[in-house]
Amino acid sequence: MTPISPINWLRLVILGAMFGAAFMFTKLALEGVGPRLVVASRLGLGAILLLTIAYARGTGLPPIRGKGAGIVWSFALGMGIFTNALPFFLLSWSQQFVASGFAGVCMAIVPLLILPLAHFLVPGDRMNLRRFIGFMIGTCGVVVLIGPAAFAATGTEFELTARIACVAAALSYAIGAILTRLCPDVDMISLSAAALTIAAALFVPYALMVEGIPDSVPTTSLLALLYLGTLPTGTAQLLLVQVIRSAGPVFMSLLNYQVPLWSMMLGIVFLGEELPTNIYWALLLILFGLGLSQAGALRRLFTARRRA
């Protein structure tokens, strides 16, 4: 087994910063446009970028005819909804009422939610006692996170609903991850381009119909939209594929520990967000539960790499 190269550690850190910063940039984008247009811009720009890359590589989109084509495109539809359109919208809408750091911490829940889903849907991926205990500890962290004391009240009637929407976005990402795992073998860039294209085709008309085209967009919001569409939505997909192919999906799972830390730090430094003690306890419980549930896989990963 090839040792984990420094370039993959660098890619992992860059991905963590990209995804973590997405919550701050979403907050900035919302200052100039509505949540639906934030999602539409992100999906549209990301789809254009991945389509360009897919055709430049000569792979294009997955075949629309032939054996298994319908199944692949069905998975692309599911991924477009659950990995892109739905969680993007839930997070964009909720960040009108909660801090970006809160939304970022919720992303640490994704691998915990994958555990019970994989237990029932992925053959051979059963939840043992250690994973179950880790899941329950992480769930306690979620309760602390959503609970009334997680943040000082903002006075908005949608604050609790927004917290629940952030957790629902994490569940949507978990469902998308299961669909990605169960999808037949196909080029990942082509599949990602197909998923984003479907998501954009479904969501952009809806966003324009509901929110319309704004007369003007502040420069800060415009730059934030460009960032969201090109980096954490489009470019990050290329890095994800490179890391998974060269270092494996277990190593890639270390990303889940980074994203909430980046989102909290950037929200505090650049947006002036104040995060009370409760959220740190919630994050500690979630990450401890995540670490316990993945301990076996991570131990095997690094032991095998050292022996190689």
Side-chain angles (χ1 to χ4, degrees), residues 71-84 87 110 114 117-118 121-123 125 171-196 237 240-241 244-245 249 252:
I71 296 176
V72 170
W73 278 94
S74 296
F75 274 100
L77 171 63
M79 290 168 60
I81 294 173
F82 289 104
T83 305
N84 296 293
V110 174
I114 289 174
L117 292 174
L121 299 175
V122 180
D125 200 347
L171 176 60
S172 180
Y173 277 127
I175 294 173
I178 295 296
L179 291 174
T180 303
R181 189 180 300 183
L182 294 176
C183 182
D185 188 27
V186 64
D187 182 83
M188 285 302 298
I189 298 296
S190 297
L191 180 64
S192 299
L196 269 178
Q237 183 61 45
L240 283 169
V241 171
I244 291 173
R245 285 180 172 175
M252 187 70 241

Side-chain angles (χ1 to χ4, degrees), residues 86-246:
L86 181 57
F88 287 1
F89 174 65
L90 289 171
L91 289 171
S92 295
W93 177 84
S94 64
Q95 282 192 246
Q96 298 175 105
F97 311 104
V98 300
S100 64
F102 181 94
V105 169
C106 286
M107 295 306 97
I109 306 169
V110 174
L112 290 172
L113 295 175
I114 289 174
L115 290 175
L117 292 174
H119 178 81
F120 293 105
L121 299 175
V122 180
D125 200 347
R126 311 294 290 178
M127 185 187 292
N128 55 30
L129 179 60
R130 174 177 48 75
R131 287 184 171 185
F132 178 75
I133 294 173
F135 172 75
M136 294 306 297
I137 292 173
T139 301
C140 291
V142 176
V143 173
V144 173
L145 190 65
I146 298 178
F151 280 118
T154 62
T156 61
E157 59 178 319
F158 295 112
E159 184 178 11
L160 179 59
T161 305
R163 295 178 186 177
I164 296 173
C166 287
V167 177
L171 176 60
S172 180
Y173 277 127
I175 294 173
I178 295 296
L179 291 174
T180 303
R181 189 180 300 183
L182 294 176
C183 182
D185 188 27
V186 64
D187 182 83
M188 285 302 298
I189 298 296
S190 297
L191 180 64
S192 299
L196 269 178
T197 301
I198 292 173
L202 293 174
F203 199 91
V204 171
Y206 161 70
L208 293 176
M209 181 177 63
V210 175
E211 296 184 1
I213 300 176
D215 295 329
S216 62
V217 179
T219 302
T220 300
S221 296
L222 181 60
L223 292 175
L225 290 172
L226 290 173
Y227 172 86
L228 291 169
T230 56
L231 291 177
T233 306
T235 304
Q237 183 61 45
L238 299 177
L239 292 175
L240 283 169
V241 171
Q242 290 175 336
V243 173
I244 291 173
R245 285 180 172 175
S246 59

